[in-house]
Amino acid sequence: MGGSNSPITKFVNVSILRNRKVIREELWVQDGKIIDPEKMFWQRKEADITVDGHGLLIAPGYIDLQINGAYGFDFSSPSDLTERNGVQEVAKRILSTGCTAFAATVITSEPATYAAVLPHLSPRPGGRHGATVLGAHVEGPFINEQKYGAHKKEFVKSRCHDFDELCRTYGCLDNIRVITVAPEIPGMLPCIPQLVSRGIVVSCGHSMASLGEGIKAVEQGATLITHLFNAMVPFHHRDPGLVGLLGTRDNKCFYSIIVDGVHSHAASVNIAYKSHPEGLVLITDAIEAMGLGPGSYELGTMHVDICDNQAFISGTRTLAGSIATLDGCVRNFRDDTGCSVVEAIEAATLHPAQTLGIQKSKGTLDFGSDADFIFLDAGLFVKATYIGGVLAWKADDL
């Protein structure tokens, strides 16, 4: 970067979040990366373009590790991906929420569905055209049939005979970045190291696991818990289940949580945050109704009704994902816990990046990282989204 002749852009009249602090400093970008202006000074290079940030805060772009769809597109629907270009449509429209990278999530499905959708969920870089696609998060089907939640029970596999069966179920593991499994089902523990060796993050969820079973999963390589408190054994003082991992000394892991005001009470969010703040990862678990109004929608093969900002499987009171946006979850998290602005933002930036092991390129504004960032006002509302240092979306009032 230092020897490049590409144009240099500097953002002035801004605060930036760097090294866990908000500081008043310019942000310099070249070749899609954040650069050190001090090096430019010694090379006697000036910026070619200056952008006025209007006193706003520049933060890393948000990263959503669990989103089932949005804006009328469902990632578990083959036709939405093949005929309607759903991934790219969501990637483009989600920029307004500050999300610059996401893992497209596929719920428990038949093998034929995985074979149809996973090839369309390959990792691809973001840009003016839309957010980065990190690959797929397959949530199921190797989950506990007692905690299937908003998944089709007949598609659940309550045991895994061997790793070959797991591979046959998905058809191909190449595009899978995260997999949610119930670690206690027969045959699953030996599969975890094999998944991890292929660069797949193993998350524990939709599970009846005891704390002891959760610890065994972590020892095998699991590093994440899927939507804490939901679709798992409730906390009990004698055996706290997967929730208890937050209180262990040597088996802590990252945990995702839906802070939409529906899935978890504010007090529960606060307990999790106070127990293990460095591991908290905000997700939306949004379905295709995100960004749309009340009505009837689909999640895989199931019908979902949206009413009063809540999503339920039709005819039931079973929650079926959310309609939350990630920027809204950041604001809710700050309000629910009283955490700092830095902590609220890092729960949607640094922590998900660390979960995937991509923190050297995403989730921070460190020198050399990808220039994926957002402009936020004092209320943490998104005013502009940049990917690779290029403006991809901005609010009408900016």
Side-chain angles (χ1 to χ4, degrees), residues 45-66:
K45 287 189 176 182
E46 297 289 339
D48 301 283
I49 303 167
T50 300
V51 177
D52 184 356
H54 306 287
L56 297 170
L57 170 65
I58 296 182
Y62 295 149
I63 301 170
D64 195 350
L65 298 186
Q66 188 166 346

Side-chain angles (χ1 to χ4, degrees), residues 128-250:
R128 188 179 280 117
H129 59 274
T132 295
V133 180
L134 297 166
H137 176 167
V138 287
E139 187 187 14
F142 295 97
I143 57 177
N144 196 303
E145 59 186 4
Q146 295 183 61
K147 289 292 182 182
Y148 62 92
H151 294 225
K152 201 85 166 181
K153 189 175 183 180
E154 52 262 45
F155 297 159
V156 169
K157 290 180 176 287
S158 57
R159 67 182 299 118
C160 183
H161 292 92
D162 53 34
F163 191 69
D164 287 342
E165 182 195 5
L166 187 147
C167 293
R168 288 194 303 271
T169 297
Y170 298 116
C172 180
L173 303 182
D174 289 352
N175 292 337
I176 297 177
R177 198 62 183 272
V178 183
I179 180 171
T180 292
V181 300
E184 76 279 6
I185 66 172
M188 181 49 63
L189 278 180
C191 293
I192 293 177
Q194 298 185 71
L195 290 164
V196 173
S197 70
R198 288 162 172 78
I200 297 172
V201 172
V202 176
S203 186
C204 300
H206 287 271
S207 168
M208 291 289 291
S210 65
L211 175 57
E213 289 167 328
I215 289 174
K216 287 180 181 178
V218 172
E219 290 173 342
Q220 291 297 310
T223 53
L224 180 65
I225 303 170
T226 294
H227 46 51
L228 190 75
F229 301 125
N230 289 272
M232 62 185 59
V233 176
F235 180 88
H236 188 281
H237 60 285
R238 293 196 184 96
D239 189 341
L242 291 177
V243 177
L245 289 171
L246 277 63
T248 62
R249 289 185 178 180
D250 302 320

Side-chain angles (χ1 to χ4, degrees), residues 2-159:
S4 174
N5 291 319
S6 300
I8 298 172
T9 302
K10 70 174 179 179
F11 296 83
V12 301
N13 187 23
V14 294
S15 299
I16 66 173
L17 193 164
R18 179 177 288 152
N19 296 327
R20 312 211 66 184
K21 293 183 290 186
V22 173
I23 56 177
R24 193 74 178 175
E25 191 170 297
E26 296 174 354
L27 187 74
W28 287 50
V29 172
Q30 185 181 38
D31 291 326
K33 301 287 186 179
I34 295 169
I35 63 173
D36 184 351
E38 186 174 324
K39 291 183 178 180
M40 298 301 102
F41 173 80
W42 291 112
Q43 294 176 24
R44 299 188 177 184
K45 287 189 176 182
E46 297 289 339
D48 301 283
I49 303 167
T50 300
V51 177
D52 184 356
H54 306 287
L56 297 170
L57 170 65
I58 296 182
Y62 295 149
I63 301 170
D64 195 350
L65 298 186
Q66 188 166 346
I67 175 170
N68 306 285
Y71 309 108
F73 300 93
D74 178 12
F75 296 141
S76 297
S77 167
S79 62
D80 279 4
L81 304 188
T82 59
E83 299 171 19
R84 302 178 62 213
N85 198 24
V87 176
Q88 195 51 53
E89 287 294 326
V90 173
K92 179 65 176 178
R93 298 172 70 175
I94 206 171
L95 295 171
S96 65
T97 72
C99 184
T100 58
F102 65 93
T105 303
V106 182
I107 65 167
T108 293
S109 302
E110 296 178 289
T113 299
Y114 292 120
V117 301
L118 287 177
H120 298 278
L121 302 179
S122 58
R124 67 203 74 169
R128 188 179 280 117
H129 59 274
T132 295
V133 180
L134 297 166
H137 176 167
V138 287
E139 187 187 14
F142 295 97
I143 57 177
N144 196 303
E145 59 186 4
Q146 295 183 61
K147 289 292 182 182
Y148 62 92
H151 294 225
K152 201 85 166 181
K153 189 175 183 180
E154 52 262 45
F155 297 159
V156 169
K157 290 180 176 287
S158 57
R159 67 182 299 118

Side-chain angles (χ1 to χ4, degrees), residues 325-362:
T325 60
L326 200 48
D327 61 323
C329 290
V330 170
R331 293 190 295 271
N332 290 341
F333 175 51
R334 177 201 57 188
D335 295 343
D336 284 355
T337 65
C339 71
S340 69
V341 167
V342 170
E343 289 175 306
I345 293 172
E346 287 188 339
T349 56
L350 176 62
H351 297 175
Q354 290 173 328
T355 301
L356 296 186
I358 58 173
Q359 66 270 25
K360 289 187 177 180
S361 59
K362 297 191 182 296

